[in-house]
Amino acid sequence: MSLNRLSFFASVLLLAWAAMVWGNNFAGPPSERSGVTGTTCSTSGCHNDFQVNPPFGGGVNIGGLPSQWSPSTTYPLTVTVSQSGQSLFGFQMTAVDSTVAEAGSFTAGGGTKLDLGPLGGIEHSFGKAGSGSATFSFDWTSPSSSATGDVRFSVAGNAANGSGSSTGDFIYSDEVTVSAATVITQNEIFYFPLIVDGGGFKTTLFITNPSASSTPATGTITFGDFADFGGIPLVPRLLDNLDQQFATGTIDFQLAGGESRRLVSTSDSSNIGIGFATVASDIPVTGSAIVSQFSGSSVVAEASFPPSSTDRSQAIFVDEEGFLTAVSYANPSSTQTANITFKLLDPEGQIVGTEQTATLAPLNHNFQFVFQLFAESTGHIGTMQITSDVEVTVVSLRFKTDFSVFTSVSPFTLTQ
């Protein structure tokens, strides 16, 4: 055999040996080394100087995972591998459902590539140099349906010394399970246009499933634009009939047929928080809101509000003769700004004064007295029309002029 041919074969063998020794560090590990099936490069013999997750202060961490995933949503994620004294880093990560089938899909970023094995996943395309740590960035797009359920993210990271051999490297692994967000088929929605909390006011919400069957109603109560008169966002603190405390913008509920639930706001703040609530359920539910005014521990006034729908053309009764009329209106759209027009009409249906306009951003709410909109309303009896290019939800209140007593007045729909 000629010297040139010997040199050629020696080169091929050298490259093959180098690929075997360096492949896991530089060009990505074999499939299913994320720990998803219990196997990492530490347990499979690739880098087995140390047990997985050795107690040397290093680690592998997933960044950017949501607390719950929503269908067909892309999440930017990171994987950081760290170990003091190490200089070259790699990883592999998988996302699987409860049947250990690939869940969602990854999109590679710089220095990463897709794992084309049966469970899919993502991994380093080449080892990344770093002084004690390195971070890889990529995207994960969630499954199209929440029926997939829990998604288990398994990751293994290699903190290597860059020597070109399989020794002296540390393998770390981690696992995080993320549940699917509760998705309500929002075919049954109604609103409470006025929620008041603080400043001596409390709101009680009743929700019930009126169905006579055993079919449970699954839904959410979402509070929107709950801000005090100073513009400081507030979230109502609510206590239910099971003594569960809530201080979040969304409350989940599940009610079997005939079951009900009561929620009472508990703020003792001197600031009056005013907002609205959206109730969404997969089957019809109903409820009522009661706004109560307290003097100490005694109720001095209160008004009840039935469930409200939305409309583009509606009106309220106005009674300013010894009383003051207020309107509470909300834009429950999450995307569209409502352009609203107010017209004050006398008992003969004639317009009084100049029509007023307002804009209401998505998921925003406002509360105004009629005299704030129309200086001409003093002593006025009639109606106020409220028209909008986006459906809004409305309710009104009639106060005594000293605000000691108030009651609710339902709006009515304008017909063509």
Side-chain angles (χ1 to χ4, degrees):
M1 185 178 294
S2 69
L3 182 60
N4 287 342
R5 292 181 68 189
L6 285 172
S7 298
F8 171 77
F9 284 120
S11 298
V12 171
L13 289 172
L14 181 62
L15 288 172
W17 174 83
M20 291 174 61
V21 174
W22 295 349
N24 295 358
N25 286 334
F26 288 88
S31 294
E32 297 183 34
R33 295 296 189 272
S34 67
V36 64
T37 59
T39 301
T40 66
C41 285
S42 172
T43 58
S44 64
C46 305
H47 301 271
N48 59 354
D49 267 8
F50 307 97
Q51 64 181 7
V52 66
N53 293 323
F56 301 138
V60 59
N61 295 288
I62 307 171
L65 287 176
S67 57
Q68 291 184 313
W69 63 267
S70 297
S72 301
T73 302
T74 297
Y75 297 94
L77 303 182
T78 60
V79 167
T80 299
V81 188
S82 60
Q83 174 61 61
S84 177
Q86 300 297 82
S87 59
L88 193 65
F89 303 87
F91 82 102
Q92 186 182 88
M93 187 166 86
T94 51
V96 299
D97 62 18
S98 59
T99 67
V100 197
E102 184 176 8
S105 61
F106 290 98
T107 302
T112 66
K113 64 183 179 68
L114 299 181
D115 179 2
L116 302 180
L119 298 184
I122 194 163
E123 61 195 27
H124 67 273
S125 53
F126 291 95
K128 191 170 188 177
S131 178
S133 69
T135 297
F136 300 85
S137 300
F138 49 89
D139 290 339
W140 175 70
T141 299
S142 59
S144 59
S145 170
S146 60
T148 299
D150 292 352
V151 174
R152 175 164 55 106
F153 294 86
S154 300
V155 63
N158 184 1
N161 56 18
S163 67
S165 72
S166 62
T167 61
D169 303 333
F170 303 92
I171 303 297
Y172 293 97
S173 68
D174 193 19
E175 191 169 273
V176 179
T177 298
V178 179
S179 61
T182 301
V183 178
I184 305 301
T185 303
Q186 295 187 344
N187 50 0
E188 301 293 341
I189 301 176
F190 66 80
Y191 306 93
F192 292 125
L194 181 62
I195 306 290
V196 188
D197 192 32
F201 288 86
K202 294 183 180 181
T203 298
T204 301
L205 299 181
F206 288 101
I207 303 291
T208 187
N209 177 2
S211 172
S213 71
S214 59
T215 303
T218 301
T220 59
I221 306 171
T222 304
F223 298 93
D225 192 42
F226 208 81
D228 71 3
F229 287 160
I232 303 170
L234 298 174
V235 173
R237 292 184 298 165
L238 296 158
L239 186 69
D240 73 1
N241 51 290
L242 302 177
D243 289 331
Q244 290 180 287
Q245 184 85 40
F246 300 91
T248 62
T250 299
I251 296 175
D252 298 325
F253 66 83
Q254 188 170 64
L255 298 171
E259 283 191 337
S260 60
R261 191 170 184 182
R262 185 192 70 178
L263 294 154
V264 182
S265 68
T266 61
S267 175
D268 56 5
S269 170
S270 60
N271 295 322
I272 302 176
I274 300 181
F276 73 103
T278 302
V279 180
S281 178
D282 56 348
I283 65 173
V285 297
T286 190
S288 184
I290 302 173
V291 174
S292 305
Q293 184 179 9
F294 287 79
S295 176
S297 59
S298 300
V299 175
V300 295
E302 62 181 12
S304 176
F305 305 92
S308 176
S309 59
T310 57
D311 210 322
R312 287 185 170 89
S313 299
Q314 49 196 316
I316 63 170
F317 293 102
V318 176
D319 185 358
E320 300 283 288
E321 193 172 85
F323 299 93
L324 295 173
T325 304
V327 61
S328 178
Y329 55 101
N331 174 13
S333 171
S334 61
T335 58
Q336 295 179 280
T337 295
N339 297 290
I340 303 171
T341 300
F342 302 93
K343 294 180 182 178
L344 188 65
L345 277 64
D346 64 19
E348 286 72 41
Q350 301 301 308
I351 294 177
V352 176
T354 304
E355 67 180 38
Q356 301 296 309
T357 60
T359 59
L360 203 56
L363 300 177
N364 266 236
H365 166 275
N366 203 356
F367 179 92
Q368 291 177 291
F369 285 92
V370 172
F371 70 77
Q372 293 177 299
L373 289 164
F374 296 95
E376 303 88 347
S377 68
T378 302
H380 180 81
I381 297 174
T383 62
M384 185 174 72
Q385 295 183 349
I386 304 164
T387 57
S388 172
D389 58 350
V390 173
E391 291 193 350
V392 296
T393 182
V394 171
V395 74
S396 66
L397 292 171
R398 190 180 76 158
F399 289 83
K400 285 188 65 175
T401 54
D402 62 359
F403 301 103
S404 61
V405 177
F406 59 91
T407 188
S408 62
V409 182
S410 298
F412 57 93
T413 300
L414 297 173
T415 58
Q416 297 297 323

